[in-house]
Amino acid sequence: IAQSETGTAPQWVQQLTLAADQFIVRRPTDDDPLGRTVIAGYHWFGDWGRDTMIALPGLCLTTQRFDIARSILKTFAAYVDRGMLPNRFPDRGEMPEYNTADATLWYFHAIDRTAAASGDFELARELYPVLKDIVAWHVKGTRYQIHVDGDGLLHAGESGVQLTWMDAKVDDWVVTPRIGKPVEINALWIHALRIMARFARQLGYMDDFRRYMDQANKAVEAFTQRYWYAEGGYLYDVVDGPDGSDATLRPNQLFAISLKPALLSHDAACSVINACARELLTSFGLRSLAPSDSAYNGKFTGDRYARDGAYHQGTIWGWLIGPFVEAHYTIYKDREAARSYLLPFKHHLNDAGLGSISEVFEGDPPHAAKGCMAQAWSVAEVLRMWMMLQRGE
């Protein structure tokens, strides 16, 4: 972080700046022996495409490590295959795994934020062909039934595969399959198309610009018509699933507000934020499922089946405080109120992995820290939002 900002940030935020360094490691490629990536969490995760792209703005851009951000983005470009970013790089030289519908879409966001923060549009120019190929693959269809449907929205999923960030799987049991059109996947898809339209216009590719704008507008129209769950006053978690639309109250809908420009009207956005605050918000992030749901599990303990069964069924995720605070500030413009949601993490820095933020917390009070003792996107999102609010962005 710039010296002037470091000096005014509280000590616990300065500690997070130090913690951010711990997750950035080397992944050499043929083109770049000094290539970088992000370890998702300590003490047992490797580098994951999704975690890397979500964490990159907080770990690298907030701290003005623009060269590292560029290195990470170029490193991952080398592994794009059939329009998809790897979900996980296995150890011991095995082939990357591509079972993710959202890591690739977060890639667009990370490139866009890096270009904006660094003022280096050459990065967007260099990676534009890769991004254009990704969009083309999504339109015509790629692995795991990922394809653009007739309404312009992105469909993803097939039996036995976990593709969203809610990706718990034990043997053959996919805990939250979310097959169909998950709400955050389509918020990200629209966001990616808008980014591509902006890049195309800046590069002078006007045919591309018009095509991406048409695709984005079609998807926006379908999104606003199809995702609103009027009875609950929030968004469906998935539409067009095997059993129809899923009205389960989950935090995934917040990305329809936090990714700018928001996809919801002011009143609808307020309703979504209030619903999430009422049932999902805690001191250390958001629950993955509302306690009022019959499938809710507020404990994170026991054997592998018990833990993974609770992973996205009530367990709190620290990184989700980022989209919640960003959505809240986007709509209410109350900096102090938004900042108040971050303050409990100050006390957590002495709870588990000293000076860092845990992966998850139990949904039931007192919200014991669980999972990895230091998680990249947990640290990144708290740090990113604190500095964003300090700058008044």
Side-chain angles (χ1 to χ4, degrees):
I1 299 175
Q3 184 65 39
S4 60
E5 294 175 312
T6 303
T8 58
Q11 185 175 0
W12 70 274
V13 176
Q14 295 180 44
Q15 177 61 53
L16 289 183
T17 307
L18 297 176
D21 286 341
Q22 300 166 0
F23 302 101
I24 299 170
V25 300
R26 290 184 178 178
R27 177 173 282 282
T29 66
D30 292 339
D31 295 332
D32 184 4
L34 299 179
R36 304 298 184 95
T37 188
V38 171
I39 293 295
Y42 295 109
H43 45 280
W44 55 66
F45 283 145
D47 49 339
W48 295 65
R50 174 188 301 116
D51 297 61
T52 297
M53 296 309 144
I54 291 174
L56 185 149
L59 298 183
C60 300
L61 306 184
T62 298
T63 57
Q64 298 187 3
R65 293 175 172 89
F66 302 133
D67 288 345
I68 292 176
R70 284 188 286 265
S71 176
I72 292 170
L73 294 169
K74 291 178 182 180
T75 296
F76 272 80
Y79 292 92
V80 173
D81 182 79
R82 295 177 62 186
M84 296 179 69
L85 221 64
N87 185 36
R88 183 173 73 92
F89 291 100
D91 296 329
R92 296 182 296 277
E94 300 162 326
M95 293 298 293
E97 298 176 5
Y98 288 87
N99 56 320
T100 170
D102 53 349
T104 312
L105 302 177
W106 279 112
Y107 188 51
F108 288 78
H109 180 71
I111 293 169
D112 179 52
R113 291 298 84 208
T114 299
S118 66
D120 178 16
F121 190 70
E122 287 304 308
L123 176 71
R125 185 189 303 275
E126 180 179 348
L127 295 179
Y128 183 84
V130 176
L131 300 181
K132 185 174 180 178
D133 184 64
I134 289 172
V135 173
W137 271 105
H138 280 66
V139 170
K140 69 181 179 181
T142 185
R143 299 174 178 89
Y144 310 118
Q145 301 300 313
I146 298 173
H147 66 274
V148 175
D149 216 344
D151 57 3
L153 296 173
L154 197 62
H155 176 281
E158 59 186 37
S159 179
V161 181
Q162 72 283 25
L163 296 179
T164 72
W165 82 273
M166 291 187 162
D167 59 354
K169 182 179 181 181
V170 188
D171 298 329
D172 294 329
W173 176 35
V174 178
V175 182
T176 51
R178 305 183 73 223
I179 297 171
K181 298 169 183 172
V183 63
E184 82 282 10
I185 298 298
N186 278 285
L188 283 163
W189 171 240
I190 292 168
H191 187 56
L193 290 172
R194 286 170 163 171
I195 289 170
M196 285 301 287
R198 180 156 31 83
F199 285 172
R201 183 175 58 191
Q202 291 171 310
L203 291 168
Y205 303 142
M206 298 312 294
D207 287 344
D208 286 0
F209 165 71
R210 286 185 285 271
R211 181 171 65 256
Y212 294 134
M213 281 305 302
D214 288 345
Q215 291 174 329
N217 291 338
K218 182 177 182 179
V220 168
E221 182 179 2
F223 190 99
T224 55
Q225 291 177 352
R226 307 204 55 212
Y227 278 94
W228 185 249
Y229 176 53
E231 183 177 341
Y234 56 86
L235 300 182
Y236 284 108
D237 190 56
V238 180
V239 300
D240 291 345
D243 300 316
S245 295
D246 180 5
T248 303
L249 178 59
R250 294 190 184 275
N252 304 305
Q253 59 193 298
L254 288 167
F255 295 105
I257 308 169
S258 64
L259 294 170
K260 299 178 180 67
L263 293 170
L264 304 180
S265 69
H266 183 272
D267 288 347
C270 288
S271 184
V272 164
I273 292 168
N274 291 340
C276 290
R278 186 168 56 249
E279 296 212 49
L280 304 178
L281 180 65
T282 72
S283 299
F284 300 119
L286 274 76
R287 295 183 178 96
S288 45
L289 185 66
S292 59
D293 195 291
S294 61
Y296 171 80
N297 187 341
K299 299 296 181 184
F300 189 83
T301 188
D303 61 17
R304 189 161 59 103
Y305 276 85
R307 295 194 313 274
D308 283 1
Y311 215 26
H312 301 105
Q313 297 289 70
T315 297
I316 297 164
W317 290 77
W319 80 278
L320 291 175
I321 201 66
F324 177 83
V325 170
E326 189 161 10
H328 191 283
Y329 183 65
T330 296
I331 298 304
Y332 292 110
K333 300 299 182 185
D334 187 335
R335 190 184 309 181
E336 290 310 309
R339 184 177 286 161
S340 70
Y341 298 116
L342 303 173
L343 290 174
F345 289 97
K346 169 184 177 181
H347 307 289
H348 168 64
L349 297 189
N350 295 319
D351 286 345
L354 294 180
S356 196
I357 300 178
S358 297
E359 175 192 9
V360 294
F361 303 79
E362 289 193 327
D364 288 347
H367 308 310
K370 297 287 183 176
C372 284
M373 64 180 181
Q375 190 79 358
W377 59 12
S378 299
V379 169
E381 283 296 271
V382 173
L383 182 59
R384 180 181 71 89
M385 285 312 307
W386 182 274
M387 296 312 301
M388 179 183 290
L389 293 172
Q390 178 156 314
R391 294 166 181 160
E393 297 175 358

